[in-house]
Amino acid sequence: TFFHEISHGITALLTGGRIERIVLEASGGGRCEYINGWQPLVLFAGYFGAALWGTLIYRGATSSTHTAHRVALGLVIFIGASGLLWASGDFTTWVILLVILLMIFVPLWFVQTHFVQWFLQFLGIYVLISSARSLVDLLHLGSRQADAARLAALTGYGERFWVLLWMFLSIGLLVLLWCKARSNPR
């Protein structure tokens, strides 16, 4: 959820908007409250951004143990800064961000170097698959999903179009990682 919501926020920033706050919920939900930005791209960025984050984390972790440590440190700094800038004193959001930070920080400083690499690979795949899995749930349940519904209203393409596009892109990124892993066995 963090990577989904921060993707909305970063895209809003990159398209002239600003992030007001990010809220993460214990139920697994969340929201990014932002002002301005190019709405179609900001709305699209949530699911695609989470899949892209997962891909980038995994790829960074597979390069080398040194690169994996850099990725882990970068994530700690980025997530910590995001919390300081946009958590707005929301207790649940702070707890969730603290748990994420500790999950990355503890292996980074207190465990063997290969474990950091393995953990980040797991985290990357988890974020990517979680993004795709939530889309399967949306298709299966047929419920109105905020991002897809708002995109449908803005573009005229139905909600199912956006959900299937996000799913196609997520699965494509997963297949890309799988093919890359098969071509570079360790």
Side-chain angles (χ1 to χ4, degrees):
T1 302
F2 170 76
F3 292 106
H4 175 103
E5 300 306 338
I6 199 66
S7 294
H8 285 307
I10 289 171
T11 307
L13 289 172
L14 292 174
T15 59
R18 102 174 167 249
I19 301 172
E20 289 293 304
R21 72 186 197 139
I22 292 178
V23 177
L24 303 175
E25 300 165 357
S27 66
R31 67 185 181 281
C32 177
E33 297 172 4
Y34 58 91
I35 296 173
N36 298 325
W38 189 42
Q39 283 298 301
L41 192 56
V42 173
L43 292 169
F44 179 78
Y47 285 106
F48 179 67
L52 192 58
W53 275 103
T55 302
L56 294 174
I57 291 168
Y58 181 87
R59 290 291 299 141
T62 56
S63 299
S64 67
T65 55
H66 182 70
T67 303
H69 274 79
R70 285 180 158 170
V71 169
L73 184 57
L75 283 171
V76 166
I77 292 167
F78 178 71
I79 294 167
S82 297
L84 291 173
L85 292 170
W86 301 304
S88 296
D90 179 72
F91 180 74
T92 303
T93 301
W94 274 104
V95 169
I96 292 169
L97 289 176
L98 184 60
V99 168
I100 295 169
L101 284 171
L102 288 174
M103 284 176 27
I104 299 168
F105 182 78
V106 169
L108 182 63
W109 295 108
F110 300 110
V111 182
Q112 293 179 340
T113 58
H114 290 298
F115 182 80
V116 173
Q117 193 171 19
W118 174 84
F119 176 75
L120 286 179
Q121 288 172 332
F122 171 80
L123 178 64
I125 291 295
Y126 179 82
V127 170
L128 177 54
I129 290 175
S130 178
S131 177
R133 175 71 177 120
S134 62
L135 294 165
V136 170
D137 289 342
L138 292 176
L139 282 177
H140 176 68
L141 298 174
S143 63
R144 295 186 58 81
Q145 196 276 337
D147 294 344
R150 290 175 65 194
L151 271 169
L154 282 172
T155 65
Y157 294 102
E159 291 175 50
R160 189 169 291 268
F161 169 82
W162 294 108
V163 174
L164 289 172
L165 179 59
W166 286 320
M167 190 177 298
F168 174 78
L169 292 169
S170 295
I171 292 169
L173 289 170
L174 188 59
V175 168
L176 180 73
L177 290 180
W178 181 70
C179 289
K180 188 78 171 162
R182 286 190 52 148
S183 68
N184 290 331
R186 289 187 179 223

